[in-house]
Amino acid sequence: MTKPQISQEISQDPLRFPVTKDVAERAGVSTATVSRVLNGTARVRADKHEAVMKAAEELGFVANGAARALSMRRFMAVGAVVPNIENEAFIRVLSSFQDRLRQEGYTLIAANSGYDIDNVLREATFLIERGIDGLMLVGDIHHPLLHARIARQKIPMVQVFTLSTERACIGFDNAASAGRAASYLLDLGHTRIGVISGLRKDNDRGGARVEGIHAALAARGLRMLPEHDVEISYGIGGGRDGFRQMLASGAEPPTAIICGTDQIAFGAMIEARSRGLDIPGDLSVIGHNDSDFAAFLSPPLTTINVHSAAIGRAAGDHLVSRMAGRPTVRLTEIDAELIVRGSTAPPRARG
Amino acid sequence: MTKPQISQEISQDPLRFPVTKDVAERAGVSTATVSRVLNGTARVRADKHEAVMKAAEELGFVANGAARALSMRRFMAVGAVVPNIENEAFIRVLSSFQDRLRQEGYTLIAANSGYDIDNVLREATFLIERGIDGLMLVGDIHHPLLHARIARQKIPMVQVFTLSTERACIGFDNAASAGRAASYLLDLGHTRIGVISGLRKDNDRGGARVEGIHAALAARGLRMLPEHDVEISYGIGGGRDGFRQMLASGAEPPTAIICGTDQIAFGAMIEARSRGLDIPGDLSVIGHNDSDFAAFLSPPLTTINVHSAAIGRAAGDHLVSRMAGRPTVRLTEIDAELIVRGSTAPPRARG
DNA sequence: GCCTTTCTTGAAAGCGATTACAAAAGACAG
DNA sequence: CTGTCTTTTGTAATCGCTTTCAAGAAAGGC
């Protein structure tokens, strides 16, 4: 077994990775010059410039981000806390948000809260300790301490999927968009409309949507039966359970339902069909988010497209501007859109 | 409009957020003691302990992570580069990986590469500059420079969804597991078996799976028609296109197909049905990943569960141990499992 | 009560970058 | 060849935390 070759460039301690000083010595310049070359912050004579580049290359120099962050007082990272990192809508938001930030050299650090207001506080604090330069949150209802902390640290923050009167937001009016879906069903002639939503605790969006539906019904002098207003945890299984529960209540079944996600809608469709109900003949179904599979179900699912990717991109734009000290608009509305497919139709004439 | 209340605790510059020194002064101790109390690294007399906690609380103190990282030479963050952040399997891995790391106080920074080997290098370098203490990659084929860089910085790294002879891995033998699925179909009596996989460029897993299927066929003296081996970009639409392409080739259609994801399988099922083919009567279909919807399709989809969540957790365990300097096993095999549901059956006797 | 041992504490030295400031080196005109 | 104006460079301070070291306080043994 041969002695390990210590290559000449590793002078003293082969265990340590190279730092600015090593590059400086090797290139025969000062650390200031190294920094100037590597960051392009000031003119450096061509020969020294080249020497630095060469030395950095040879040593495999990688700048220490913590040291840089400390001295620049900028971390070049932004955080995001979403309720559920496995939910399609949030993934799309994060994905486009990240793309936008990455273009500007920012890193995204994402965390999830499990729809719990205390967890949002905990995760956001964790991110703030990390030194993030900006923060994205979902919704407008948060722990009061969180807003105080964000203000104290002067961290630019933007909220998505909501429109708030207080803070910067990118999103839409959840009540209005769900209301429009309800109105569409009412226009088709439905009168018994139900809703299956995800958990509404600490979730202003879910709550607003249900309220918007109630309001649309009320505007036509109708009201939703309490038995037709069910709340479940997300997922296909949840959708099945939700619809089963609605039928089991003994109340006259709805002729149309609006679901919190396309997964829930899919679950409800499965349950309905297993009971011999025809969709859309006996039951019209509307989902949320326009998931990949929505157009491929049979019948294809009518759904509310919330434009997650556009929202994420806009949130990125917003934060990038704020962090650069540029002026920004507080509210950006990217309205949700009802995509009508085959899962909705006028109610079948009563037998 | 009243003058903003400057609360007493903000003594000098109300623009700056509080630092250790401020807490120390307010509590009447040194910064060393503040650090000791806040990190619990050494015993401190009860009264001083309390004074520090109180001062920190009142000031809304949040430690500067960059400074901490710099002095501890530990960033308490790990990176992960996955091919596609919108793919269910990778999301599950990231989610469980993050949970595990979060327990130990680590932050996860995730990036995606779009199945491109150069992007993996770029993103990983970006993360290394950030100062990550550990790194997770998908698969075993990477840019040679990447391994050099990881070695130079002495960053613990673990690869998932693969088993390598060189590096630490958590995963399974892709060829063997796909081979088992093929053998299962062969046992049912199928002889014309096709495969629809995602892009295989820079993707050792996809390639290995297809090879495993070829090998299983060869072991029975059979071979796959080239027309039955198609490669598409991921997604339901891709699955439809893939199966359409297979039929359009003019070759005798397969009686069974194995798909790279459940989404692809779903797409292929849709296309098959639209052509009047019965599943599993005319066509058996196997997917990959056991997506949420797999069990709910009709017929329910037979699929290979790769245990993404378990892999992510194990990868977290592995890195946590390595970063703590504890000994670890290099290879952890978490075998994939065929879940047989209704989409597979013996081929219908030829008409 | 005095000496040794054990706990607590604070002063100060890093960690590895960036950058303000001043000195040095060139460029140019007279 | 000298003085002035730029441009390029290096020195050293700084960012905010952790941690070593040594001193001071408290505790225990005789």
Side-chain angles (χ1 to χ4, degrees):
Chain A
M1 195 168 253
T2 56
K3 258 184 86 174
Q5 276 198 331
I6 304 288
S7 45
Q8 54 152 122
E9 71 261 25
I10 298 175
S11 51
Q12 301 202 310
D13 179 357
L15 292 170
R16 287 211 59 61
F17 47 76
V19 298
T20 321
K21 193 150 157 280
D22 302 323
V23 177
E25 278 171 13
R26 184 162 238 267
V29 299
S30 71
T31 60
T33 298
V34 172
S35 170
R36 286 191 270 253
V37 169
L38 264 29
N39 297 302
T41 46
R43 282 208 62 73
V44 170
R45 227 172 52 211
D47 58 337
K48 302 215 172 191
H49 184 281
E50 199 173 331
V52 169
M53 294 302 273
K54 185 154 164 288
E57 179 70 27
E58 287 169 353
L59 290 174
F61 173 75
V62 174
N64 180 317
R68 167 180 284 160
L70 181 57
S71 73
M72 295 212 305
R73 255 144 302 184
R74 270 268 199 108
F75 190 49
M76 294 308 284
V78 320
V81 181
V82 298
N84 175 7
I85 214 160
E86 307 200 19
N87 184 119
E88 209 164 347
F90 299 131
I91 289 169
R92 287 191 195 157
V93 162
L94 288 177
S95 184
S96 58
F97 185 61
Q98 169 162 38
D99 285 349
R100 184 67 190 82
L101 294 169
R102 190 67 184 73
Q103 286 172 10
E104 308 285 328
Y106 283 94
T107 303
L108 172 64
I109 306 178
N112 51 343
S113 65
Y115 289 97
D116 182 304
I117 208 169
D118 292 319
N119 277 338
V120 175
L121 175 64
R122 192 171 307 125
E123 294 296 334
T125 302
F126 191 69
L127 294 174
I128 292 171
E129 283 179 1
R130 281 297 194 255
I132 50 164
D133 303 311
L135 180 61
M136 181 183 96
L137 297 176
V138 173
D140 190 38
I141 294 184
H142 301 294
H143 200 293
L145 259 178
L146 179 54
H147 290 305
R149 203 156 286 177
I150 289 169
R152 166 94 57 165
Q153 303 282 331
K154 305 222 181 314
I155 295 177
M157 187 267 277
V158 62
Q159 300 178 334
V160 295
F161 288 126
T162 194
L163 294 178
S164 140
T165 53
E166 308 268 315
R167 289 166 278 271
C169 289
I170 316 282
F172 56 93
D173 183 332
N174 283 277
S177 81
R180 283 202 303 273
S183 296
Y184 158 75
L185 291 172
L186 291 164
D187 289 343
L188 288 177
H190 292 276
T191 53
R192 290 197 313 283
I193 297 178
V195 57
I196 307 178
S197 82
L199 300 175
R200 282 171 225 167
K201 177 178 163 298
D202 297 344
N203 177 352
D204 48 330
R205 286 93 53 213
R209 289 176 189 177
V210 175
E211 276 167 33
I213 296 168
H214 282 283
L217 286 166
R220 313 250 181 143
L222 297 168
R223 56 184 287 275
M224 189 187 296
L225 293 177
E227 292 88 348
H228 290 171
D229 182 353
V230 322
E231 186 177 338
I232 49 103
S233 60
Y234 281 95
I236 298 175
R240 292 194 70 155
D241 293 345
F243 191 62
R244 192 179 301 132
Q245 191 177 316
M246 216 178 261
L247 298 184
S249 69
E252 201 170 3
T255 60
I257 55 173
I258 298 176
C259 301
T261 66
D262 288 350
Q263 277 77 12
I264 294 175
F266 185 20
M269 282 169 68
I270 291 166
E271 183 64 25
R273 190 164 299 130
S274 80
R275 303 196 169 226
L277 295 177
D278 175 60
I279 295 169
D282 300 311
L283 181 73
S284 285
V285 179
I286 296 182
H288 262 96
N289 296 349
D290 193 23
S291 297
D292 289 336
F293 63 81
F296 294 104
L297 297 182
S298 55
L301 182 63
T302 294
T303 187
I304 295 170
N305 183 354
V306 299
H307 299 297
S308 304
I311 288 176
R313 208 173 312 117
D317 285 340
H318 179 95
L319 278 189
V320 164
S321 289
R322 287 263 295 281
M323 292 184 300
R326 275 179 265 137
T328 50
V329 296
R330 191 177 66 77
L331 238 47
T332 301
E333 188 162 359
I334 296 182
D335 211 0
E337 172 190 18
L338 182 68
I339 299 181
V340 176
R341 299 204 181 95
S343 68
T344 44
R348 183 171 286 169
R350 301 293 296 275
Chain B
M1 197 170 251
T2 57
K3 258 184 88 172
Q5 276 196 333
I6 307 288
S7 45
Q8 55 153 117
E9 71 261 24
I10 300 176
S11 50
Q12 301 202 311
D13 181 355
L15 292 170
R16 287 210 64 57
F17 47 76
V19 298
T20 323
K21 193 150 155 277
D22 302 324
V23 177
E25 278 172 12
R26 184 163 240 267
V29 300
S30 71
T31 60
T33 298
V34 172
S35 170
R36 286 191 269 255
V37 169
L38 264 28
N39 298 303
T41 45
R43 282 209 60 74
V44 168
R45 226 173 52 211
D47 57 337
K48 301 213 172 192
H49 186 281
E50 197 172 333
V52 169
M53 293 303 272
K54 186 156 165 285
E57 177 72 26
E58 287 169 353
L59 291 173
F61 173 75
V62 175
N64 180 318
R68 166 181 286 157
L70 181 57
S71 72
M72 296 211 304
R73 257 144 300 176
R74 272 259 196 118
F75 191 52
M76 296 307 284
V78 320
V81 182
V82 299
N84 176 5
I85 213 161
E86 306 200 19
N87 184 119
E88 207 163 350
F90 300 131
I91 289 169
R92 286 191 196 155
V93 162
L94 288 177
S95 183
S96 59
F97 185 61
Q98 170 162 37
D99 285 350
R100 183 66 190 83
L101 294 169
R102 191 64 185 73
Q103 285 171 12
E104 308 285 329
Y106 284 94
T107 302
L108 171 64
I109 306 180
N112 50 345
S113 66
Y115 289 96
D116 181 304
I117 209 171
D118 292 318
N119 277 338
V120 176
L121 175 65
R122 192 170 308 127
E123 295 295 332
T125 302
F126 191 69
L127 294 174
I128 292 171
E129 282 179 2
R130 280 298 193 256
I132 51 165
D133 303 311
L135 180 62
M136 181 182 98
L137 297 176
V138 174
D140 190 37
I141 294 185
H142 300 295
H143 200 292
L145 260 177
L146 180 54
H147 290 305
R149 203 156 286 176
I150 289 168
R152 166 94 59 165
Q153 302 284 329
K154 307 220 181 314
I155 295 177
M157 189 266 280
V158 63
Q159 300 178 334
V160 295
F161 289 125
T162 194
L163 294 178
S164 141
T165 53
E166 308 269 315
R167 289 166 277 270
C169 289
I170 316 283
F172 57 94
D173 183 334
N174 284 278
S177 80
R180 283 203 304 275
S183 298
Y184 158 74
L185 291 172
L186 292 164
D187 289 343
L188 287 178
H190 293 275
T191 53
R192 292 198 309 286
I193 297 179
V195 57
I196 306 177
S197 82
L199 300 175
R200 282 171 225 167
K201 175 176 164 297
D202 297 345
N203 177 354
D204 50 330
R205 287 95 51 215
R209 288 177 188 176
V210 175
E211 276 166 32
I213 296 167
H214 283 283
L217 286 166
R220 313 250 181 144
L222 296 168
R223 54 183 288 275
M224 190 187 298
L225 295 177
E227 294 88 346
H228 289 170
D229 183 352
V230 320
E231 185 176 338
I232 48 105
S233 59
Y234 280 94
I236 297 175
R240 292 193 71 157
D241 293 346
F243 191 62
R244 194 177 301 135
Q245 190 178 319
M246 215 178 261
L247 298 185
S249 69
E252 202 170 3
T255 60
I257 56 174
I258 298 177
C259 302
T261 66
D262 288 349
Q263 276 77 13
I264 294 176
F266 185 19
M269 282 170 68
I270 291 166
E271 182 65 24
R273 191 165 298 131
S274 80
R275 304 196 168 227
L277 295 177
D278 176 59
I279 296 169
D282 301 310
L283 181 74
S284 283
V285 179
I286 295 183
H288 261 96
N289 297 349
D290 194 23
S291 298
D292 290 335
F293 64 80
F296 294 106
L297 297 182
S298 54
L301 182 64
T302 294
T303 187
I304 295 171
N305 184 355
V306 298
H307 299 298
S308 305
I311 288 177
R313 209 174 310 118
D317 284 341
H318 178 95
L319 278 189
V320 164
S321 289
R322 288 263 294 282
M323 293 184 299
R326 274 179 263 139
T328 50
V329 295
R330 192 177 67 75
L331 239 45
T332 301
E333 188 164 359
I334 295 182
D335 211 0
E337 172 191 16
L338 182 68
I339 299 181
V340 176
R341 298 205 180 95
S343 67
T344 45
R348 183 171 288 170
R350 301 295 295 276

